[in-house]
Amino acid sequence: MEYLTAWYWNRGNFRAKNEDSFSLQKVRIDGRQAAFLLVCDGIGGLPEGETASGFVTEAMTEWFYREGIRLMGSAVWKKRAAAAAVSALARSQEKLERCEREEGICCGTTCTMALVKGRDFALIHSGDSRAYRIGRKEQLLTRDHKRDGMLCRCIGAFGFEEPDVLFGRLRPGDLLVLCSDGFSRMLPEGFLISGLSGEEEKAGTYFKRLKGMGSFLMAQGEKDNLTALALRCCRKGGRG
């Protein structure tokens, strides 16, 4: 099994800075392709949102190379790797809380992360960024952590609550899409499946499709930063 991957990251037309951060890593583990995908969206109503999202993205990418790859080498890796990722996020929480105590800066970020090996994936999710599986249908995998329309769970500002952990499998041809709420909030129903499904193509094609979607959303009035990552589970011979 091989992967095609693509990313889209745009400040948008209205925000002074981009508070989204992402990581997209592809490696081989015991001869099989594996991947790490992460989208963090800094909380715009708090100071230093881009600092929080960048910090968590960097910390979790370091965790993936230091510990995640080793854990994913096991035949029964999903629960162990997901539990270790949650522990790593808890350590990031502690550091952000210490920053608040010592520097007086209260900041936070959403975090939606995927660990993928072969056809199996584990999702770790906190906040209102989203993960979708695109195959025969468009399936939203995550739930928004909101209360009365307001974000109530993240890494940082609100104290630590255990992220949601989900497990699943991809069929050949399926896509896994992670995106910030700026990319998902105004998505018409079926927009992802109509824009991304089809025959296996080059990774550059998926970038162009994501970019086109982002341009459409901005034209519809989306004012937030926009980030989207896509991974397609291909048969042997996928390019990109």
Side-chain angles (χ1 to χ4, degrees):
M1 200 63 61
E2 299 289 331
Y3 304 143
L4 286 173
T5 56
W7 57 270
Y8 172 73
W9 188 65
N10 196 305
R11 178 175 59 85
N13 296 328
F14 295 92
R15 295 291 181 92
K17 52 191 174 183
N18 196 335
E19 296 183 326
D20 291 356
S21 298
F22 75 91
S23 181
L24 177 55
Q25 313 294 323
K26 285 200 299 184
V27 299
R28 287 197 175 273
I29 301 175
D30 297 330
R32 300 176 66 191
Q33 195 151 74
F36 171 82
L37 297 83
L38 175 71
V39 171
C40 287
D41 180 359
I43 298 173
L46 296 173
E48 304 291 339
E50 74 281 7
T51 300
S53 68
F55 167 73
V56 172
T57 298
E58 182 177 4
M60 294 311 300
T61 303
E62 290 178 354
W63 168 84
F64 173 68
Y65 281 103
R66 184 180 63 250
E67 187 176 353
I69 289 174
R70 175 180 58 80
L71 291 170
M72 291 175 71
S74 167
V76 287
W77 62 272
K78 288 186 289 185
K79 289 186 177 180
R80 292 180 61 202
V86 170
S87 295
L89 285 173
R91 293 193 293 272
S92 292
Q93 172 76 28
E94 292 171 359
K95 292 179 180 179
L96 288 173
E97 289 178 352
R98 186 172 65 198
C99 177
E100 181 179 358
R101 290 193 303 269
E102 296 178 357
E103 305 294 334
I105 299 172
C106 177
C107 59
T109 180
T110 71
C111 179
T112 302
M113 177 191 336
L115 301 166
V116 192
K117 188 177 81 168
R119 293 170 57 187
D120 294 315
F121 66 85
L123 284 174
I124 300 93
H125 167 70
S126 182
D128 61 358
S129 294
R130 290 185 171 185
Y132 295 84
R133 177 168 45 198
I134 311 297
R136 296 169 186 165
K137 59 182 180 179
E138 181 180 305
Q139 181 184 8
L140 175 62
L141 300 172
T142 53
R143 63 190 179 107
D144 292 350
H145 294 132
K146 288 188 173 181
R147 189 177 297 119
D148 298 325
M150 301 294 291
L151 187 68
C152 62
R153 189 182 301 186
C154 70
I155 308 301
F158 309 137
F160 189 71
E161 291 189 45
E162 287 281 324
D164 293 342
V165 176
L166 308 90
F167 306 108
R169 283 176 64 80
L170 299 168
R171 292 182 293 266
D174 282 359
L175 289 108
L176 188 63
V177 176
L178 273 60
C179 59
S180 62
D181 67 330
F183 195 90
S184 66
R185 181 169 32 240
M186 298 181 69
L187 280 178
E189 184 176 355
F191 194 53
L192 286 174
I193 192 168
S194 64
L196 294 175
S197 60
E199 295 299 317
E200 295 175 7
E201 301 181 61
K202 295 182 179 180
T205 303
Y206 287 101
F207 168 74
K208 291 176 182 177
R209 291 180 178 184
L210 292 173
K211 183 178 179 181
M213 290 180 179
S215 297
F216 170 82
L217 294 168
M218 286 187 285
Q220 299 307 302
E222 179 57 62
K223 292 182 167 68
D224 206 348
N225 311 136
L226 302 95
T227 301
L229 310 180
L231 176 147
R232 181 162 188 165
C233 186
C234 302
R235 299 170 180 84
K236 287 288 186 179
R239 295 170 292 171

